Every structure is written in structure tokens, then in C-alpha cells.
């Protein structure tokens, strides 16, 4: 993989990591509800899941999706249901009586979510098809791609959690906090709907 390809991959990783999507909606909500420190495992779990996806796609899973489109439908349904479940949780978040009743998404939950996140599969398939050349050093290229995505993605995703945390510091009014949570719930539900657009 030459420098121009690495730069292009880093740019692609930045655009895909910083733009709105299911992960960033959840990170903003987590930053708002739990703060940055408790959201760190969530932030780190995402690139771990993406790394696993890139390796599986590189090993041939992308070809399986091309041959069996019903698998993509199953993933889309699972991703939609998860986002709708998240939207319900966010909608009700302003009504939680005990802060301890809710927990942030864990490292493993964030990693596992990537497997039902259509945007993450799109990223993995695009990276393998566009930036990885078959032949010598194939797995080294995939490892480098994973590293580029992690180095570029973690700070990009952290911005969303920081944004959520910053909202918390200025939203002391319970009604405003509920409004933000319900707005985020609406965005999560809209994101689920966009899976089907």
C-alpha cells in the first residue's frame, strides 16, 4: 500500500467516522447521559468491531453477502430493531429516577453492534474492494487498513461523545435535557428508517 493509498484511506476513514450515523448518535447520547470517561469503552469498542469486520470481509465474507443478499436483509432488520430499541431508551432517559439504573454501552456491546450496523458493513466492503490489492502482503494491507481506521476513527468519534458531554454541562434544566434526549431518540429512529431508503 503506497502513501497515496494510505492518505486516501485515511481521508475515507475520517469522512465515514465523523459523519452522522448510528455509532455517532449513540456516542452523543452516551456522552450526554454518562460523560466522556464512561463512554471511552464504547468509543474503543467501535474500531475493534470494525477491525473484525475488515478481517472477515477480507477473508471472503463480502463475497458471501454478494451471493446471498438475504443475509444483508437480516443485518438490516437487526440494525433497525436495535436502533429503535435505542430510540425508546433515549426517549425515556429524561424520566429515569435513578441515574444508576442506566449503563453506558460496553466495549463488547459496541464491537458487536458493528455486525448489525449496515454503515459499518458498507465501510468494510468498500475498504477491501477499493484500498486493498490482492496478492502479496494482502493481510499486511488489511492490518494497515485497520490501523488507519482506528487512528483516524477514534478521535473523530470522540468528538461526538465530547459534544454530548458538553451539552450535559449546559443543560441543567431537566426539561431541556429531556428535549435533547428525545431529539436524539428521533435521530436514532430516523437513522433506522434511512436503512430502508
Amino acid at each position: 500500500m503506497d502513501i497515496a493509498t494510505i492518505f486516501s484511506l485515511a481521508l475515507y476513514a475520517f469522512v465515514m467516522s465523523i459523519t452522522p450515523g448510528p455509532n455517532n448518535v449513540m456516542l452523543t447520547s452516551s456522552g450526554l447521559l454518562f460523560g466522556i470517561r464512561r463512554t471511552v469503552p464504547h468509543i474503543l469498542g467501535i474500531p475493534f468491531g470494525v477491525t473484525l469486520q475488515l478481517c472477515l470481509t477480507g477473508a471472503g465474507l463480502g463475497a458471501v453477502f454478494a451471493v446471498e443478499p438475504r443475509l444483508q436483509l437480516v443485518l438490516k432488520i437487526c440494525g433497525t430493531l436495535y436502533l429503535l430499541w435505542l430510540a425508546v431508551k433515549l426517549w425515556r432517559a429524561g424520566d429515569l429516577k435513578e441515574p444508576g439504573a442506566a449503563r453506558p454501552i460496553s466495549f463488547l456491546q459496541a464491537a458487536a453492534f458493528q455486525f448489525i450496523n449496515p454503515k459499518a458493513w458498507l465501510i468494510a466492503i468498500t475498504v477491501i474492494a477499493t484500498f486493498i490489492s490482492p496478492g502479496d502482503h494482502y493481510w499486511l494491507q488489511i492490518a494497515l487498513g485497520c490501523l488507519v481506521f482506528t487512528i483516524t476513527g477514534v478521535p473523530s468519534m470522540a468528538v461526538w461523545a465530547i459534544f454530548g458531554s458538553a451539552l450535559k454541562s449546559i443543560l441543567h434544566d431537566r426539561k431541556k435535557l429531556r428535549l435533547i434526549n428525545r431529539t436524539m431518540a428521533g435521530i436514532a429512529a430516523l437513522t433506522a428508517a434511512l436503512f430502508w431508503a
Side-chain angles (χ1 to χ4, degrees), residues 76-131:
K76 192 184 283 193
I77 290 169
C78 292
T80 299
L81 291 174
Y82 184 83
L83 281 175
L84 292 175
W85 173 80
L86 178 67
V88 170
K89 282 188 70 170
L90 286 169
W91 186 268
R92 297 175 57 202
D95 297 329
L96 289 175
K97 304 295 184 209
E98 300 174 52
R103 287 180 304 216
I105 293 173
S106 71
F107 177 89
L108 290 177
Q109 288 170 328
F113 175 69
Q114 304 322 301
F115 290 88
I116 58 169
N117 180 355
K119 182 179 178 182
W121 280 112
L122 172 68
I123 289 169
I125 291 167
T126 302
V127 167
I128 297 301
T130 307
F131 299 101

Side-chain angles (χ1 to χ4, degrees), residues 1 9 12-13 16 49-73 75-76 114-134 138 142 145-146 149:
M1 193 180 288
L9 176 59
Y12 176 74
M16 296 308 283
V50 170
T51 294
L52 292 176
Q53 277 182 306
L54 285 169
C55 291
L56 288 172
T57 303
L61 195 55
V64 172
F65 286 144
V67 172
E68 186 51 72
R70 287 178 290 190
L71 287 176
Q72 290 176 306
L73 178 63
L75 290 173
K76 192 184 283 193
Q114 304 322 301
F115 290 88
I116 58 169
N117 180 355
K119 182 179 178 182
W121 280 112
L122 172 68
I123 289 169
I125 291 167
T126 302
V127 167
I128 297 301
T130 307
F131 299 101
I132 308 299
S133 303
Y138 179 73
I142 290 176
C146 293
F149 244 93

Side-chain angles (χ1 to χ4, degrees), residues 112-185:
F113 175 69
Q114 304 322 301
F115 290 88
I116 58 169
N117 180 355
K119 182 179 178 182
W121 280 112
L122 172 68
I123 289 169
I125 291 167
T126 302
V127 167
I128 297 301
T130 307
F131 299 101
I132 308 299
S133 303
D136 292 341
H137 309 296
Y138 179 73
W139 285 103
L140 184 59
Q141 291 178 71
I142 290 176
L144 185 57
C146 293
L147 183 62
V148 168
F149 244 93
T150 300
I151 290 170
T152 308
V154 169
S156 300
M157 293 178 292
V159 166
W160 289 88
I162 292 166
F163 172 67
S165 182
L167 283 176
K168 184 176 186 173
S169 67
I170 60 173
L171 291 175
H172 298 293
D173 182 347
R174 190 172 177 85
K175 289 181 182 177
K176 290 179 183 174
L177 183 58
R178 185 177 295 130
L179 175 65
I180 293 295
N181 283 338
R182 290 185 173 177
T183 300
M184 295 304 294

